[in-house]
Every structure is written in structure tokens, then in C-alpha cells.
Amino acid sequence: MSAPDRQQRLTALRDTIADIERKPALAEVRAKSFDARDGNFPRLPGGLLQEVFTDAVRNGGANLGFALGQAKTLLTPKRMAVLYLQLTSDGQFFGLPYGPGLLSFGFDPAQLVIVRVSDMRDFLWVAEESLACRAVAGIVADIGGDPEPLDFTASRRLSLRAAESGTSLFLLRYGAERQASAAHLRWCLTPHRSGRKRFDEQAPGAPRWSLELEKGVALGRQTQFLLEWTENGFATLPVEPGRKSRHRPTLPFAFPTRLADGLSQAARV
Amino acid sequence: MGQSVADARALVPRLAIRELDRPMLENAFASFADWHSNASPLVSVLTDMTPYGDLILDITGVPHLFGGEKIMLSMMISRLRQVGYTVSGAIAPTIGAAWAVSHFVGNRVVTPKTIVTLLDSLPIPALRLGRDQIAALTQMGLLTIGQVRQRPRKPLQARFGASFLIRLDQAYGEIEERMTPRLPIVEHFVERRFHEPISQLDDVLAAARELAQKLCAALESDGLGAQTFHLFLYRVDHKVMTLSLNAARLTRDPQHIVSLFHHRAQRFEVEEFDPGFGIDMVRLAASSLDRLDVAQLGAFETENGAADIDRLTDRLTSRLGPTAVLKVELVESHIPERAARLAPAVVAETESPLSRPRPRRPLRLLPMPELVRINAEVPDGLPASMIWRRQPYRLIKGAGPERLGAEWWRKRERLQLVEEVEPEELEPGEKAKQPPYVAALPLHDPEASTRDYYLVEDTDGRRFWVFRQGFYDGDLPPAWYLHGFFP
């Protein structure tokens, strides 16, 4: 068997495996718009399951801001709604999205549908049902703790649904625990000191987030981002050297995490 | 009837005595009445004369389905007799006449020709009168309705009241008598009867699917769409179960209707689905109809996601209930918790927000503000540290205060606008001046309800929205609350 032939067959096999793994969204978008053209934070396309982890509920505002900021870029005339999903019992604990606040963030509250469910079973049902709807731009789901029904199988179902319909799902998670999941991207978010406000040194300025990509490939090999919110979306700031995620030690390459990471390894050249 | 328990016991020593459960009987009779809507959609219970009411059916345009009025009446009476009830019924052009004939003559069909002669021969109590009226009439020797009808009306009204004449006219059909239907009035419905009663929920839904297609075909031929759909399940044991649901917009899409009932039924299953001895008829009805023109699917149509979104919210609402799927409505108010309102997505009106400048507001708001402990370096200065949910935060940046007063006009309080007038000593002969009018409302207390909002940021970059209620120099010490989170 000659070498080029062998090479071809290997490529074909890899393609087959990639097909079996059904990650069309990731495979496609990695080639297209995930690339680091100018070092800016990429405008991530729809159809991704993204987990946004943060250490505690007190960062809920930053978490929601990051998800809505991304969901806003996904809104089109055809996809004109964003769903916010929460357990009814968590309302007071997390707080609810606030109309005038959405306005001042630059998000039209008329485009937000808030769904409050009583248990995790309904939660997952709503998530799947809305993911299947091609008129929904994105779903932002607040999940406190580590609920039993949201296991690897459930997240795999959700990620397949998302990839199929092109609707993005943002799971806002809290805490340092990381379970295995089939999310395409996993972010670790920490709030960052706000920018300078003009004419008022004392006041908080534009919101900033510092992000670390824990899983998936977004921007070449870059995993650390520092973002600032502007009227036109995210602006990327240079990452301060020496700033490290505080959560690194708590997840010393946990076996399930590696396993989930490995999903795409077969297709990786 | 009307006997005391002691008398009854004396007659029958082994009498078993049970207390009458009126609400239960009333409910049973009402659901029994509902079941009769399988004969005619307009069913009502007339409660003014008998303790549990009389069952009234408006059968206009229905009898030919049963082979004529006579056959229909005997069918309906015999089927109740078979179950073991004592029944008496009549068909008449007016409610009053039907009541009179069924109570005083028996099972009979009254036609417009015979109504006058028949009613004339009936006794006075057949007119649904009060006890005093009947007693007075009998005292006067007026025993049949015919005798009363011949007499001049004015003295009768003076003596027995207007209600007497109304009853008389209603019985003869001179004035119309209205009935209030128990079930929602439906303009379009389709139904299916089963030879063998069904009891599985899946079978019911399968029947609903078939009916939905029929109903939608009927709606389409009339160029109509409907917003509300009802599924009536008639049980063999004379009860009706109703499933109603609303769609966000006019529709006549059978797939969509069936899927809504499917989701609704899943919730139904959890609560209770009790088919009893089986369901022998299913009816699907549509109400809130309006024109819905045939949608044209053309090549130049720009596809809009709004219809899909409405369909999705319908589906979610039908399973989770209307209070679970919400939209944000903005309200003109400066009080933060009143400025936005959550309304069910099926009914919410989405308006584009007004373009006036709005101050910076948090992305998340706590439904109830939480008490925090805050230290400021100087009173009225920016907060310097905060303890919330037992966690300390050191605050390094802050903006504020933004002072928001309470809406005194909503709390039925008045402002201190007019000085109190001291009564002056009057000269003899001088008239006292009219004091200015002051509404008798409690005085508005700005200290108790004015809030000072601050946007603060801690060392790690979390941004909170806190407020202080009350002033430092007031009587009560000020209290601090956390109200929201900024991105």
C-alpha cells in the first residue's frame, strides 16, 4: 500500500468517525469563524452548547451579562427570541432578569421569554423543546448546584439538539465542581474590575469579564480572554500577565473531564 | 318531607339518618347537567324554584338529529329512567311553559298551537311564583292560569307585583326569558361517539387528532381561525370532563392543536385522569373565532420567526401553565420593582420601549431586596464595605446616590401642602373663614419610604445595586438592602 493511499484512507476514516460523533457545528465553525484573525474575541456562531462556570451565585450578574451579550449577536429577523430558563424555587436566590436593566445593557426586553419551571424534568424538557425551535436564537439557563438529571447523557442530548437546529444553549453553572459534559465550550468566568468611567474616577465603568476557556477550541490556542462590554458588543483587551484562574487547582485534570475532552480527539489531526 | 326527625323515628324506629350534603348534591347535579350537553350544546340549570335546580336544554335546531321532538323527549327520559332516576320532562316553546308542563302535566311536547289552551288549564303554582303570591291568588279564588290571564293587568300588577306579570308573560312567550349556559358557548364543534366506551388517555388523544382534522377543515372552509379550544369528554356515568386551552394567535393547524392537547394532557395525567366506566363521546369545540385568511406561501415571502415563537410559547404554556412562561412588560414608573412586570406570554402585549434616556439599571433584580450590613466612611458617603449572605465584600468603587421617592399618590397618602390654620378669635358679628379643604388621608412620610440607590463595585469586580432606606438624621436608623446585580 502506497503512502498517499494510506494517508487518504486515514483521512476518510477520520471523517467517518467525525460524522459518527456528529459534531458538525464544531467541525464546521472551527474552520470558519473560530480562527484568530485579529486576536479579538470571536463572534461565536449558533448551535453551540456552552457552559459558563463561575464560582458563586454572587457572580450571577456577570454570568448573565456574558451569556446575553453572546445571545444578542445571534438574534436575527428569523431568530427573534432568547429564552431564559430558571427553576421557580431559585428566583429569589439568583434574581430575575430585569427589563430596564436589559434595556440599559442594550438588549430589547421584548425579545426575552422567561420560563420558570418547577422541577428539573420540566427544565430539560423545555430546554430540548426550545432548542428544536428554529426561531429561538439562544437559551440561557440558570442551574444552581449539580442536579441529578443533568448528567452526561442529558448534556449530550442537548448538544446534539443544539448542533442540529443551530440554536445556542448557555448553561450558567455555579461552583467549582466540574462534571463530565458534552458541552462544546466550557468557560470559567470571573468578574473583573470595571473600566474607567469618564469624568468620574469613583464610579464603576463599562463591565469587564475575565474568561478562561476550559474545554473546546475557540481562538487558536488562546484560552484566556479579558473582555469589555461596549455598545457594539465585546471588545477584547490584552490579558494581564500573571493573572491566573483560581480554580485551576481544584480540577486537576479530573478523569471525566479528560474523557469528555477526548471526544474530539479522534478527529484531531 | 317537612317532618321532624323525632316524628320520623316514631314512625320507623330503625330509620337510618344521614345529613344532607348540599354542596355535594349540587355539584353532582351540575355535572349531571353538563353531561346532557351531548344532546344539545346549550345546557343550563334553573335554580330559582327547586332546591338543586331544573335542567333546561335549548334544543333549537337539534330534534331532527334524534328523529323529531317526541322521539327525542322519550329517548332522553327513558335513558335516565334506565339508570334509575325518576324523571319528568317536557318540550315547549318557552322555558316557563316547559317548566309548568313538566311539573304539572308530565312528559309531553307542547307546540305553539297548543300552548295557550294547555297553560290556561294549569293551576296557578305552575307559573313559578312566590309562596305569598300563590296564597293571595288562591284566596281570591283564582285557581287556574286562564282565569288570571283574562283579568285586567294593572290591578294585578298593583296587587301581586311586577314579577307576577313577568312570569305570566314568560310562560306565554310574550317576553323572552334568558338562560345562562353552563358550558362555554362554542360556535364550531365536531364530535365522535363510540360504540364501546374508551378509557385510555392515548385513545382519547387519538380521537382528538381525528376530530382536530375535521374541525380545522370546517374552519378553513369558513375562512376562520380560533384561539380557544375545548375538549369535552362525556363519561358513561353522566359526567363531563373538560380540557380547555388557549393559543397565542388564531390558528387552524390540526397538528398544533393536537400537540397542545398532548402537552396539556401530560399535566392532566399527573393531576388526575379518571375515565370512570369509560368515555362514550368526545367533542372538540372551538371558540373565540375570527377571520383567518388563507396564508399564502409564496416564493417572495420573508419568513418571520414570530409565528414559530408563538407556537413554542403555546406548547410551553400548555404543559407548564400560563404563569410559567412570561414576558417582560415595562411600566411607566420610577420605582424599580414596579418598572417591569412579568406577564404570561400568551396574553402579554409587547411594545417597543420608549426611547427616553434611562438610568443605569441592574441586569438581575432580586424579587425581594435582601437586608445587608453596610458601613460607609461618612454618613451619606459611598459605602465602603458590605456583608451579604454572610460574606464580606470590600467596596472600592461606587456611584450614587440616586434618590427615589415613594409614589405617595398610590399609597393614598397626602403631601403636607397646606399649613394648619389656627382658629382666630372672632369679633362679634364676623363670620368664621372657611378653612381650606384637606383630604382626610394620612400624611406622607418621606423618611419611611425614600430610597437612596448606590451602584457599588467590590475588589473582585462584582457590581451590586444597594439602597438605603431612611435618612441618617431621622428617628429610625437607616436600613441597607441589596436589590440587584450588574454585569
Side-chain angles (χ1 to χ4, degrees):
Chain A
M1 198 183 288
S2 61
D5 187 27
R6 189 190 165 111
Q7 200 65 34
Q8 263 180 358
R9 285 183 60 185
L10 264 181
T11 336
L13 270 176
R14 281 198 183 113
D15 284 350
T16 325
I17 293 172
D19 277 349
I20 293 167
E21 291 201 325
R22 276 186 191 266
K23 280 194 160 183
L26 196 57
E28 221 171 279
V29 291
R30 189 188 292 151
K32 278 183 195 163
S33 47
F34 274 40
D35 55 349
R37 212 161 287 151
D38 44 6
N40 277 341
F41 186 71
R43 185 189 160 280
L44 295 172
L48 294 179
L49 174 60
Q50 302 190 28
E51 281 183 312
V52 187
F53 270 93
T54 187
D55 66 342
V57 176
R58 54 196 172 167
N59 299 339
N63 224 352
L64 183 63
F66 177 63
L68 282 183
Q70 278 204 50
K72 193 187 163 196
T73 61
L74 299 172
L75 287 167
T76 59
K78 271 190 197 176
R79 296 178 172 270
M80 48 189 295
V82 172
L83 237 81
Y84 173 81
L85 189 53
Q86 191 187 49
L87 287 180
T88 316
S89 48
D90 286 344
Q92 177 66 32
F93 195 52
F94 289 129
L96 281 165
Y98 179 52
L102 294 170
L103 266 185
S104 58
F105 187 69
F107 191 94
D108 183 2
Q111 290 179 312
L112 189 76
V113 181
I114 297 175
V115 183
R116 306 183 71 197
V117 293
S118 54
D119 59 3
M120 215 49 211
R121 213 176 115 235
D122 278 347
F123 193 98
L124 291 176
W125 176 80
V126 172
E128 274 199 34
E129 193 77 3
S130 333
L131 273 179
C133 179
R134 283 173 191 280
V136 175
I139 303 160
V140 181
D142 249 333
I143 301 172
D146 205 354
E148 184 78 15
L150 186 73
D151 52 5
F152 183 74
T153 320
S155 72
R156 183 112 175 102
R157 278 177 74 111
L158 292 175
S159 75
L160 289 180
R161 274 280 165 110
E164 191 184 338
S165 70
T167 307
S168 270
L169 174 60
F170 302 91
L171 296 178
L172 307 185
R173 309 286 307 264
Y174 302 89
E177 287 277 312
R178 306 284 195 269
Q179 297 292 331
S181 88
H184 298 122
L185 298 173
R186 183 194 286 153
W187 301 96
C188 175
L189 180 145
T190 34
H192 193 269
R193 298 250 191 109
S194 60
R196 258 189 77 218
K197 193 173 170 91
R198 285 174 78 193
F199 314 122
D200 191 356
E201 288 288 329
Q202 285 271 298
R208 285 184 185 175
W209 300 269
S210 95
L211 289 158
E212 189 187 348
L213 189 63
E214 291 185 350
K215 181 186 159 187
V217 181
L219 193 61
R221 294 191 156 272
Q222 189 177 349
T223 55
Q224 304 252 345
F225 299 91
L226 181 61
L227 301 183
E228 185 179 87
W229 184 248
T230 65
E231 280 178 25
N232 306 321
F234 294 115
T236 316
L237 305 176
V239 185
E240 300 155 33
R243 188 183 166 84
K244 281 197 174 168
S245 167
R246 285 176 293 167
H247 304 292
R248 258 299 179 223
T250 60
L251 50 143
F253 303 103
F255 182 65
T257 319
R258 290 271 79 197
L259 195 68
D261 268 337
L263 269 177
S264 57
Q265 277 176 353
R268 198 177 281 160
V269 183
Chain B
M1 288 289 264
Q3 226 169 12
S4 68
V5 175
D7 289 352
R9 275 238 167 93
L11 286 172
V12 186
R14 284 186 191 168
L15 193 66
I17 293 173
R18 275 188 212 139
E19 205 173 330
L20 194 60
D21 187 355
R22 274 178 197 279
M24 191 275 284
L25 275 178
E26 254 163 55
N27 279 336
F29 189 73
S31 65
F32 171 76
D34 285 350
W35 180 75
H36 278 86
S37 58
N38 57 6
S40 162
L42 290 176
V43 179
S44 120
V45 176
L46 210 64
T47 50
D48 45 359
M49 289 308 293
T50 40
Y52 304 110
D54 297 287
L55 177 65
I56 307 263
L57 290 167
D58 184 351
I59 56 162
T60 313
V62 175
H64 70 273
L65 299 174
F66 295 88
E69 289 177 346
K70 212 165 199 171
I71 300 174
M72 180 176 181
L73 182 65
S74 65
M75 186 276 284
M76 294 196 56
I77 285 173
S78 64
R79 77 175 182 193
L80 286 177
R81 282 216 177 116
Q82 279 167 8
V83 187
Y85 293 110
T86 313
V87 203
S88 146
I91 294 181
T94 64
I95 295 177
W99 194 89
V101 172
S102 64
H103 280 247
F104 287 84
V105 181
N107 310 330
R108 192 134 171 204
V109 178
V110 186
T111 58
K113 276 181 198 161
T114 56
I115 181 169
V116 176
T117 49
L118 193 67
L119 278 180
D120 279 354
S121 65
L122 287 181
I124 292 290
L127 275 182
R128 293 185 283 163
L129 298 173
R131 217 173 261 177
D132 312 344
Q133 290 172 316
I134 295 174
L137 282 163
T138 4
Q139 223 170 13
M140 289 175 65
L142 297 169
L143 294 177
T144 61
I145 301 176
Q147 289 170 336
V148 184
R149 199 167 62 87
Q150 311 294 333
R151 302 191 77 84
R153 292 171 66 92
K154 273 203 175 152
L156 282 177
Q157 181 173 5
R159 183 119 196 199
F160 303 107
S163 67
F164 169 68
L165 286 182
I166 290 176
R167 287 300 190 204
L168 194 64
D169 289 343
Q170 279 176 344
Y172 284 91
E174 306 288 332
I175 54 174
E176 198 185 342
E177 184 175 358
R178 297 204 172 173
M179 56 183 272
T180 38
R182 282 188 47 79
L183 298 172
I185 300 176
V186 291
E187 290 124 278
H188 272 68
F189 67 86
V190 286
E191 59 192 28
R192 182 167 170 196
R193 287 160 198 275
F194 302 100
H195 297 294
E196 263 321 287
I198 56 171
S199 58
Q200 294 287 317
L201 190 59
D202 291 344
D203 294 344
V204 172
L205 289 172
R209 179 180 301 276
E210 190 187 315
L211 290 174
Q213 279 162 359
K214 267 195 216 163
L215 181 71
C216 293
L219 287 175
E220 192 165 11
S221 64
D222 289 353
L224 293 171
Q227 238 178 331
T228 313
F229 296 91
H230 313 273
L231 193 67
F232 300 102
L233 310 177
Y234 291 87
R235 279 163 48 168
V236 179
D237 50 347
H238 304 180
K239 285 216 173 89
V240 187
M241 284 186 285
T242 320
L243 257 88
S244 296
L245 45 84
N246 271 302
R249 57 165 66 188
L250 288 173
T251 180
R252 55 162 179 253
D253 176 9
Q255 288 294 332
H256 183 50
I257 299 167
V258 169
S259 76
L260 290 187
F261 274 115
H262 223 88
H263 295 315
R264 179 72 180 76
Q266 277 175 347
R267 205 172 55 160
F268 200 61
E269 227 172 0
V270 178
E271 289 163 14
E272 52 177 67
F273 173 70
D274 180 18
F277 294 104
I279 293 159
D280 62 354
M281 192 174 112
V282 177
R283 172 184 290 170
L284 179 66
S287 57
S288 310
L289 301 176
D290 205 353
R291 281 211 67 78
L292 179 66
D293 293 323
V294 183
Q296 188 178 348
L297 295 166
F300 302 107
E301 192 192 30
T302 51
E303 204 183 307
N304 190 328
D308 280 346
I309 294 289
D310 281 349
R311 234 169 278 148
L312 178 69
T313 52
D314 275 1
R315 279 206 302 276
L316 300 184
T317 307
S318 64
R319 169 151 166 173
L320 305 170
T323 53
V325 188
L326 306 161
K327 284 206 123 177
V328 179
E329 279 186 353
L330 298 177
V331 181
E332 279 299 311
S333 170
H334 66 271
I335 303 285
E337 61 267 23
R338 282 204 356 103
R341 178 172 62 195
L342 295 179
V346 221
V347 293
E349 296 168 17
T350 48
E351 302 168 21
S352 56
L354 299 174
S355 58
R356 69 179 169 85
R358 284 176 183 273
R360 208 162 152 189
R361 288 283 179 260
L363 207 51
R364 274 180 201 262
L365 197 76
L366 288 173
M368 279 195 300
E370 290 184 10
L371 200 63
V372 290
R373 289 183 55 192
I374 277 198
N375 285 318
E377 278 165 11
V378 289
D380 284 329
L382 292 175
S385 69
M386 172 173 90
I387 297 177
W388 172 57
R389 287 182 187 169
R390 288 186 271 170
Q391 296 258 353
Y393 300 88
R394 206 161 69 76
L395 308 173
I396 48 165
K397 280 185 180 177
E402 183 187 348
R403 175 157 294 183
L404 298 179
E407 293 176 317
W408 54 268
W409 56 93
R410 289 175 45 80
K411 293 179 142 189
R412 297 192 62 77
E413 290 174 347
R414 72 185 160 88
L415 292 178
Q416 178 87 54
L417 295 172
V418 189
E419 292 290 317
E420 291 218 21
V421 186
E422 300 243 335
E424 291 171 21
E425 285 197 17
L426 297 176
E427 299 274 316
E430 193 187 354
K431 275 193 175 177
K433 275 186 194 164
Q434 197 72 24
Y437 171 74
V438 178
L441 293 173
L443 208 59
H444 175 64
D445 179 16
E447 188 189 310
S449 39
T450 302
R451 306 173 186 170
D452 279 345
Y453 276 92
Y454 291 88
L455 195 178
V456 293
E457 181 176 319
D458 81 339
T459 41
D460 285 340
R462 303 180 190 100
R463 283 162 287 277
F464 303 104
W465 210 35
V466 294
F467 71 86
R468 189 194 64 220
Q469 190 149 22
F471 303 129
Y472 278 107
D473 53 356
D475 300 331
L476 293 166
W480 286 89
Y481 296 89
L482 177 75
H483 207 174
F485 308 94
F486 283 88

